Amino acid sequence: MKESVLSIKNLRKEYICGRSWLQETETFAAVRDVSFELYQGETLGLVGESGCGKSTLAKMIVKLVKPNAGEIYFEGQNILDMKEKKFRCLRPYIQLIGQNPFGSMDPRKKLIDTLSEGIRCHHISTNGKSLRGYLEEILRSCELQPEFLDRYPCEFSGGQLQRLAIARALALRPRVLVADEIVSALDVSVQGQILELLMKQKTERNMSLIFITHDLSVVRKISDRILVMKDGKILDEGSPEYIFEKSECLYTRKLKEAMITFPY
Ligand code: ADP
Ligand code: MG
């Protein structure tokens, strides 16, 4: 039997979108009754058009956004019910990497300081090495030069920054990685290199991956299973073969057609 690492049950998130003159709060449901499992070692692709609720879902999984309803189990433990103090021990194990690595790094800090923060805060073991030695090894495994640790974020290209963001997450030895549109802002040749790095690290470190994108051709390449999301709901689910060859879901077919008729 496949072992479930993450179990998402009936997750819902409503945002307040305004107040009427009667002082009644108007809400908008960005994620509606989403349930799925992530299995050990799996790459789960989550695909859907912009605004369908992917990032909201990603942020709920790492407890950056609080759901209005639903449950999240990480390795059998209900993390939404958990007090923040107890969850702090689990936080390193579920890491989110976002689309904008520059925005996620303090521009005034050298990379060594940014990458050290999480390790110190969560008391991560550096395998008997100095903190710098440990980080240098992670940078090398992400095909980055160890000297980069002494530089500032503004000194890097988009692709290098995304590699550094991956390195920062890996330094915490996560078991689940949530990658939210991490190649969407990069040009196609760099996209391929970053995807290759991500998949190599995922296999070597035996992690499970939720790969989020609006691009069906990217999920097709790397996913074991694909979820198709629209207007806050999961409309379709299956292996890449099923999604691309057998699915009769109208929305999946529409996404596929958009992919084929893309103008270049
Ligand atoms: P995606 O990542 O698929 O593009 P998001 O989860 O970012 O979708 O957004 C889903 C919907 O929720 C969008 O309509 C967006 O405008 C809205 N939304 C996202 N974050 C907030 C927020 N903090 N407050 C209000 N509405 C939000
Ligand atoms: Mg998003």
Side-chain angles (χ1 to χ4, degrees), residues 31-53:
V31 171
R32 305 154 191 243
D33 199 24
V34 165
S35 303
F36 62 87
E37 301 287 326
L38 174 71
Y39 297 105
Q40 172 55 43
E42 177 182 46
T43 300
L44 181 65
L46 175 69
V47 68
E49 64 198 24
S50 183
C52 74

PDB file of all heavy atoms in Angstrom, residues 31-53:
ATOM      1  N   VAL A  31     -10.847  28.713  -2.251  1.00  0.00           N
ATOM      2  CA  VAL A  31     -10.659  27.251  -2.275  1.00  0.00           C
ATOM      3  C   VAL A  31     -11.918  26.632  -1.686  1.00  0.00           C
ATOM      4  O   VAL A  31     -12.364  27.030  -0.606  1.00  0.00           O
ATOM      5  CB  VAL A  31      -9.400  26.842  -1.472  1.00  0.00           C
ATOM      6  CG1 VAL A  31      -9.314  25.331  -1.312  1.00  0.00           C
ATOM      7  CG2 VAL A  31      -8.133  27.373  -2.142  1.00  0.00           C
ATOM      8  N   ARG A  32     -12.525  25.678  -2.433  1.00  0.00           N
ATOM      9  CA  ARG A  32     -13.817  25.109  -2.028  1.00  0.00           C
ATOM     10  C   ARG A  32     -13.735  23.591  -1.919  1.00  0.00           C
ATOM     11  O   ARG A  32     -13.598  22.923  -2.934  1.00  0.00           O
ATOM     12  CB  ARG A  32     -14.885  25.431  -3.081  1.00  0.00           C
ATOM     13  CG  ARG A  32     -15.006  26.907  -3.369  1.00  0.00           C
ATOM     14  CD  ARG A  32     -15.560  27.110  -4.780  1.00  0.00           C
ATOM     15  NE  ARG A  32     -15.419  28.504  -5.134  1.00  0.00           N
ATOM     16  CZ  ARG A  32     -16.442  29.310  -5.381  1.00  0.00           C
ATOM     17  NH1 ARG A  32     -17.655  28.859  -5.384  1.00  0.00           N
ATOM     18  NH2 ARG A  32     -16.228  30.575  -5.656  1.00  0.00           N
ATOM     19  N   ASP A  33     -13.772  23.101  -0.717  1.00  0.00           N
ATOM     20  CA  ASP A  33     -13.918  21.664  -0.475  1.00  0.00           C
ATOM     21  C   ASP A  33     -12.866  20.828  -1.232  1.00  0.00           C
ATOM     22  O   ASP A  33     -13.208  19.889  -1.944  1.00  0.00           O
ATOM     23  CB  ASP A  33     -15.343  21.247  -0.891  1.00  0.00           C
ATOM     24  CG  ASP A  33     -15.733  19.916  -0.269  1.00  0.00           C
ATOM     25  OD1 ASP A  33     -15.154  19.562   0.766  1.00  0.00           O
ATOM     26  OD2 ASP A  33     -16.589  19.228  -0.844  1.00  0.00           O
ATOM     27  N   VAL A  34     -11.609  21.185  -1.043  1.00  0.00           N
ATOM     28  CA  VAL A  34     -10.532  20.459  -1.735  1.00  0.00           C
ATOM     29  C   VAL A  34     -10.007  19.317  -0.853  1.00  0.00           C
ATOM     30  O   VAL A  34      -9.691  19.525   0.316  1.00  0.00           O
ATOM     31  CB  VAL A  34      -9.378  21.422  -2.118  1.00  0.00           C
ATOM     32  CG1 VAL A  34      -8.115  20.647  -2.497  1.00  0.00           C
ATOM     33  CG2 VAL A  34      -9.807  22.315  -3.277  1.00  0.00           C
ATOM     34  N   SER A  35      -9.966  18.121  -1.424  1.00  0.00           N
ATOM     35  CA  SER A  35      -9.431  16.947  -0.720  1.00  0.00           C
ATOM     36  C   SER A  35      -8.488  16.198  -1.656  1.00  0.00           C
ATOM     37  O   SER A  35      -8.800  16.034  -2.832  1.00  0.00           O
ATOM     38  CB  SER A  35     -10.556  15.968  -0.338  1.00  0.00           C
ATOM     39  OG  SER A  35     -11.519  16.604   0.455  1.00  0.00           O
ATOM     40  N   PHE A  36      -7.342  15.778  -1.129  1.00  0.00           N
ATOM     41  CA  PHE A  36      -6.462  14.884  -1.894  1.00  0.00           C
ATOM     42  C   PHE A  36      -5.399  14.313  -0.960  1.00  0.00           C
ATOM     43  O   PHE A  36      -5.231  14.773   0.166  1.00  0.00           O
ATOM     44  CB  PHE A  36      -5.810  15.598  -3.093  1.00  0.00           C
ATOM     45  CG  PHE A  36      -4.906  16.747  -2.750  1.00  0.00           C
ATOM     46  CD1 PHE A  36      -3.563  16.537  -2.473  1.00  0.00           C
ATOM     47  CD2 PHE A  36      -5.391  18.048  -2.718  1.00  0.00           C
ATOM     48  CE1 PHE A  36      -2.729  17.596  -2.158  1.00  0.00           C
ATOM     49  CE2 PHE A  36      -4.561  19.121  -2.403  1.00  0.00           C
ATOM     50  CZ  PHE A  36      -3.225  18.884  -2.133  1.00  0.00           C
ATOM     51  N   GLU A  37      -4.714  13.281  -1.471  1.00  0.00           N
ATOM     52  CA  GLU A  37      -3.611  12.665  -0.725  1.00  0.00           C
ATOM     53  C   GLU A  37      -2.317  12.943  -1.482  1.00  0.00           C
ATOM     54  O   GLU A  37      -2.321  13.006  -2.710  1.00  0.00           O
ATOM     55  CB  GLU A  37      -3.784  11.132  -0.670  1.00  0.00           C
ATOM     56  CG  GLU A  37      -5.048  10.645  -0.028  1.00  0.00           C
ATOM     57  CD  GLU A  37      -5.071  10.797   1.480  1.00  0.00           C
ATOM     58  OE1 GLU A  37      -4.008  10.663   2.112  1.00  0.00           O
ATOM     59  OE2 GLU A  37      -6.163  11.088   2.020  1.00  0.00           O
ATOM     60  N   LEU A  38      -1.232  13.089  -0.719  1.00  0.00           N
ATOM     61  CA  LEU A  38       0.105  13.108  -1.337  1.00  0.00           C
ATOM     62  C   LEU A  38       0.837  11.888  -0.785  1.00  0.00           C
ATOM     63  O   LEU A  38       0.958  11.731   0.430  1.00  0.00           O
ATOM     64  CB  LEU A  38       0.852  14.389  -0.962  1.00  0.00           C
ATOM     65  CG  LEU A  38       2.311  14.455  -1.420  1.00  0.00           C
ATOM     66  CD1 LEU A  38       2.412  14.620  -2.934  1.00  0.00           C
ATOM     67  CD2 LEU A  38       3.047  15.616  -0.740  1.00  0.00           C
ATOM     68  N   TYR A  39       1.296  11.013  -1.682  1.00  0.00           N
ATOM     69  CA  TYR A  39       1.941   9.778  -1.237  1.00  0.00           C
ATOM     70  C   TYR A  39       3.459   9.933  -1.178  1.00  0.00           C
ATOM     71  O   TYR A  39       4.041  10.787  -1.857  1.00  0.00           O
ATOM     72  CB  TYR A  39       1.563   8.620  -2.170  1.00  0.00           C
ATOM     73  CG  TYR A  39       0.082   8.333  -2.141  1.00  0.00           C
ATOM     74  CD1 TYR A  39      -0.751   8.715  -3.197  1.00  0.00           C
ATOM     75  CD2 TYR A  39      -0.494   7.714  -1.033  1.00  0.00           C
ATOM     76  CE1 TYR A  39      -2.125   8.470  -3.156  1.00  0.00           C
ATOM     77  CE2 TYR A  39      -1.866   7.475  -0.983  1.00  0.00           C
ATOM     78  CZ  TYR A  39      -2.667   7.852  -2.041  1.00  0.00           C
ATOM     79  OH  TYR A  39      -4.025   7.628  -1.993  1.00  0.00           O
ATOM     80  N   GLN A  40       4.072   9.096  -0.353  1.00  0.00           N
ATOM     81  CA  GLN A  40       5.517   9.126  -0.163  1.00  0.00           C
ATOM     82  C   GLN A  40       6.269   9.010  -1.510  1.00  0.00           C
ATOM     83  O   GLN A  40       6.003   8.099  -2.290  1.00  0.00           O
ATOM     84  CB  GLN A  40       5.911   7.970   0.780  1.00  0.00           C
ATOM     85  CG  GLN A  40       7.396   7.750   0.927  1.00  0.00           C
ATOM     86  CD  GLN A  40       8.147   8.997   1.373  1.00  0.00           C
ATOM     87  OE1 GLN A  40       7.692   9.723   2.255  1.00  0.00           O
ATOM     88  NE2 GLN A  40       9.263   9.287   0.743  1.00  0.00           N
ATOM     89  N   GLY A  41       7.159   9.946  -1.749  1.00  0.00           N
ATOM     90  CA  GLY A  41       8.004   9.911  -2.939  1.00  0.00           C
ATOM     91  C   GLY A  41       7.320  10.353  -4.223  1.00  0.00           C
ATOM     92  O   GLY A  41       7.933  10.350  -5.289  1.00  0.00           O
ATOM     93  N   GLU A  42       6.077  10.765  -4.101  1.00  0.00           N
ATOM     94  CA  GLU A  42       5.296  11.096  -5.298  1.00  0.00           C
ATOM     95  C   GLU A  42       5.542  12.545  -5.763  1.00  0.00           C
ATOM     96  O   GLU A  42       5.825  13.430  -4.955  1.00  0.00           O
ATOM     97  CB  GLU A  42       3.812  10.923  -4.942  1.00  0.00           C
ATOM     98  CG  GLU A  42       2.853  11.287  -6.056  1.00  0.00           C
ATOM     99  CD  GLU A  42       1.398  11.152  -5.637  1.00  0.00           C
ATOM    100  OE1 GLU A  42       1.018  11.617  -4.543  1.00  0.00           O
ATOM    101  OE2 GLU A  42       0.638  10.591  -6.425  1.00  0.00           O
ATOM    102  N   THR A  43       5.395  12.766  -7.066  1.00  0.00           N
ATOM    103  CA  THR A  43       5.321  14.135  -7.589  1.00  0.00           C
ATOM    104  C   THR A  43       3.883  14.367  -8.033  1.00  0.00           C
ATOM    105  O   THR A  43       3.402  13.744  -8.984  1.00  0.00           O
ATOM    106  CB  THR A  43       6.263  14.329  -8.800  1.00  0.00           C
ATOM    107  OG1 THR A  43       7.596  14.066  -8.383  1.00  0.00           O
ATOM    108  CG2 THR A  43       6.179  15.749  -9.345  1.00  0.00           C
ATOM    109  N   LEU A  44       3.220  15.229  -7.289  1.00  0.00           N
ATOM    110  CA  LEU A  44       1.820  15.523  -7.582  1.00  0.00           C
ATOM    111  C   LEU A  44       1.745  16.883  -8.271  1.00  0.00           C
ATOM    112  O   LEU A  44       2.158  17.892  -7.695  1.00  0.00           O
ATOM    113  CB  LEU A  44       1.026  15.543  -6.271  1.00  0.00           C
ATOM    114  CG  LEU A  44      -0.474  15.815  -6.375  1.00  0.00           C
ATOM    115  CD1 LEU A  44      -1.182  14.697  -7.132  1.00  0.00           C
ATOM    116  CD2 LEU A  44      -1.093  15.960  -4.989  1.00  0.00           C
ATOM    117  N   GLY A  45       1.291  16.909  -9.500  1.00  0.00           N
ATOM    118  CA  GLY A  45       1.159  18.172 -10.233  1.00  0.00           C
ATOM    119  C   GLY A  45      -0.205  18.786  -9.955  1.00  0.00           C
ATOM    120  O   GLY A  45      -1.213  18.086  -9.982  1.00  0.00           O
ATOM    121  N   LEU A  46      -0.215  20.080  -9.664  1.00  0.00           N
ATOM    122  CA  LEU A  46      -1.482  20.786  -9.481  1.00  0.00           C
ATOM    123  C   LEU A  46      -1.535  21.881 -10.539  1.00  0.00           C
ATOM    124  O   LEU A  46      -0.694  22.776 -10.563  1.00  0.00           O
ATOM    125  CB  LEU A  46      -1.552  21.398  -8.078  1.00  0.00           C
ATOM    126  CG  LEU A  46      -2.765  22.272  -7.772  1.00  0.00           C
ATOM    127  CD1 LEU A  46      -4.038  21.431  -7.708  1.00  0.00           C
ATOM    128  CD2 LEU A  46      -2.590  23.015  -6.455  1.00  0.00           C
ATOM    129  N   VAL A  47      -2.508  21.767 -11.445  1.00  0.00           N
ATOM    130  CA  VAL A  47      -2.537  22.690 -12.572  1.00  0.00           C
ATOM    131  C   VAL A  47      -3.885  23.397 -12.640  1.00  0.00           C
ATOM    132  O   VAL A  47      -4.931  22.833 -12.298  1.00  0.00           O
ATOM    133  CB  VAL A  47      -2.205  21.933 -13.896  1.00  0.00           C
ATOM    134  CG1 VAL A  47      -3.282  20.954 -14.284  1.00  0.00           C
ATOM    135  CG2 VAL A  47      -1.933  22.893 -15.040  1.00  0.00           C
ATOM    136  N   GLY A  48      -3.850  24.656 -13.037  1.00  0.00           N
ATOM    137  CA  GLY A  48      -5.084  25.430 -13.160  1.00  0.00           C
ATOM    138  C   GLY A  48      -4.755  26.848 -13.557  1.00  0.00           C
ATOM    139  O   GLY A  48      -3.626  27.318 -13.340  1.00  0.00           O
ATOM    140  N   GLU A  49      -5.748  27.534 -14.132  1.00  0.00           N
ATOM    141  CA  GLU A  49      -5.471  28.886 -14.627  1.00  0.00           C
ATOM    142  C   GLU A  49      -5.259  29.864 -13.465  1.00  0.00           C
ATOM    143  O   GLU A  49      -5.621  29.567 -12.318  1.00  0.00           O
ATOM    144  CB  GLU A  49      -6.625  29.348 -15.535  1.00  0.00           C
ATOM    145  CG  GLU A  49      -7.935  29.464 -14.798  1.00  0.00           C
ATOM    146  CD  GLU A  49      -9.137  29.483 -15.737  1.00  0.00           C
ATOM    147  OE1 GLU A  49      -9.039  28.973 -16.863  1.00  0.00           O
ATOM    148  OE2 GLU A  49     -10.176  29.993 -15.317  1.00  0.00           O
ATOM    149  N   SER A  50      -4.673  30.999 -13.787  1.00  0.00           N
ATOM    150  CA  SER A  50      -4.381  32.020 -12.790  1.00  0.00           C
ATOM    151  C   SER A  50      -5.658  32.408 -12.033  1.00  0.00           C
ATOM    152  O   SER A  50      -6.713  32.572 -12.640  1.00  0.00           O
ATOM    153  CB  SER A  50      -3.793  33.222 -13.525  1.00  0.00           C
ATOM    154  OG  SER A  50      -3.450  34.187 -12.593  1.00  0.00           O
ATOM    155  N   GLY A  51      -5.548  32.502 -10.721  1.00  0.00           N
ATOM    156  CA  GLY A  51      -6.681  32.927  -9.895  1.00  0.00           C
ATOM    157  C   GLY A  51      -7.592  31.802  -9.438  1.00  0.00           C
ATOM    158  O   GLY A  51      -8.574  32.044  -8.746  1.00  0.00           O
ATOM    159  N   CYS A  52      -7.261  30.546  -9.786  1.00  0.00           N
ATOM    160  CA  CYS A  52      -8.162  29.436  -9.419  1.00  0.00           C
ATOM    161  C   CYS A  52      -7.964  28.971  -7.983  1.00  0.00           C
ATOM    162  O   CYS A  52      -8.703  28.107  -7.505  1.00  0.00           O
ATOM    163  CB  CYS A  52      -8.037  28.271 -10.392  1.00  0.00           C
ATOM    164  SG  CYS A  52      -6.517  27.327 -10.184  1.00  0.00           S
ATOM    165  N   GLY A  53      -6.962  29.511  -7.286  1.00  0.00           N
ATOM    166  CA  GLY A  53      -6.803  29.188  -5.860  1.00  0.00           C
ATOM    167  C   GLY A  53      -5.585  28.342  -5.522  1.00  0.00           C
ATOM    168  O   GLY A  53      -5.438  27.889  -4.390  1.00  0.00           O
TER     169      GLY A  53
END
